[in-house]
Amino acid sequence: MAAAQLALSNARTDGDLSGPLADFGYDTARLDEGWALYQAAAEAQQRQTREYGEQYAASDAFTAAREAAQTEYVRYVKIARIALKQERGAAAKLVLDGPRKRTLAGWLAQARQFYANAQTDAAVLTALAQFGVTPEKLAAGQAQVEGVEGLAAAQKIETGEAQQATQARDAALEVLDGWMEDFLAIARIALEENRQWLEKMGLLVRS
């Protein structure tokens, strides 16, 4: 990108270069065509960088939210196992037995079932209240879980947009590279008699 910018910018603005290049088919209109391709590639590069920044931010937000929700959820599960250790039915309703699911879908299902059933069962609420777990705390924990789902959806959207931006950037660079390959090859011929002209184009000159 930097090499294309240097070569095209100088070719379009430096009178020493524009004349010889025009004699070989690269007049103002054709150079403007190349500059437009460069600008399109630069914009695609900027968008790709921006989209990946947004993806990383969304991923970090999701990870932080899930960790916070998991901490609260696991704490309440541990307390519930103590409070309801003699209540097999309640334990089943809250999915207290076994490990917590590792997949997002599985974890969400377990956490939702725990919070939903804990908040609607008077006996469970009474048992948990003995250990400081109030309905307000359960509602807050449930909100954390729902927030994780929303952030997961946002992360997927940002990931998709970053991938699309990368594909668009790669396509724009491919078009620019093809145009520049011919342009620089002709520039070497058109300007070969003057080392300084070639250097203005960013073309290395063998000594």
Side-chain angles (χ1 to χ4, degrees):
M1 290 291 292
Q5 180 185 28
L6 173 65
L8 285 167
S9 179
N10 286 345
R12 295 171 71 240
T13 59
D14 193 313
D16 290 338
L17 305 178
S18 58
L21 289 171
D23 289 340
F24 283 79
Y26 284 91
D27 58 9
T28 299
R30 197 167 182 186
L31 290 175
D32 286 346
E33 172 190 317
W35 185 250
L37 294 178
Y38 163 75
Q39 288 183 311
E43 290 172 2
Q45 175 66 52
Q46 292 169 359
R47 178 172 179 263
Q48 191 255 6
T49 300
R50 183 174 64 253
E51 292 295 347
Y52 267 95
E54 293 175 358
Q55 180 199 341
Y56 296 149
S59 295
D60 290 345
F62 163 73
T63 299
R66 183 171 181 180
E67 289 177 353
Q70 171 73 350
T71 297
E72 291 299 298
Y73 169 49
V74 169
R75 179 182 294 119
Y76 296 147
V77 167
K78 289 178 179 178
I79 294 172
R81 284 171 177 166
I82 296 170
L84 303 168
K85 61 184 177 182
Q86 303 299 329
E87 304 294 335
R88 292 176 57 190
K93 286 177 65 175
L94 301 186
V95 198
L96 298 182
D97 294 333
R100 301 303 90 186
K101 298 292 185 181
R102 292 186 176 274
T103 65
L104 178 61
W107 178 83
L108 283 170
Q110 280 187 326
R112 281 190 181 125
Q113 186 169 342
F114 173 85
Y115 284 117
N117 288 339
Q119 292 179 84
T120 56
D121 189 310
V124 169
L125 287 173
T126 298
L128 292 177
Q130 299 177 67
F131 300 96
V133 181
T134 64
E136 292 76 17
K137 289 181 179 179
L138 291 172
Q142 185 177 38
Q144 282 184 307
V145 171
E146 298 305 327
V148 169
E149 184 179 26
L151 290 171
Q155 181 191 35
K156 286 183 178 180
I157 291 173
E158 293 297 344
T159 298
E161 290 180 350
Q163 291 172 346
Q164 290 175 354
T166 298
Q167 293 172 355
R169 187 276 314 270
D170 291 347
L173 284 176
E174 185 176 359
V175 173
L176 176 63
D177 286 345
W179 195 94
M180 290 297 299
E181 183 178 2
D182 291 346
F183 172 54
L184 294 178
I186 293 298
R188 284 187 179 277
I189 298 171
L191 307 173
E192 62 183 347
E193 296 181 1
N194 191 309
R195 179 188 181 97
Q196 291 183 338
W197 290 353
L198 289 170
E199 291 176 345
K200 285 181 180 180
M201 292 284 293
L203 297 172
L204 295 176
V205 181
R206 294 189 182 92
S207 56

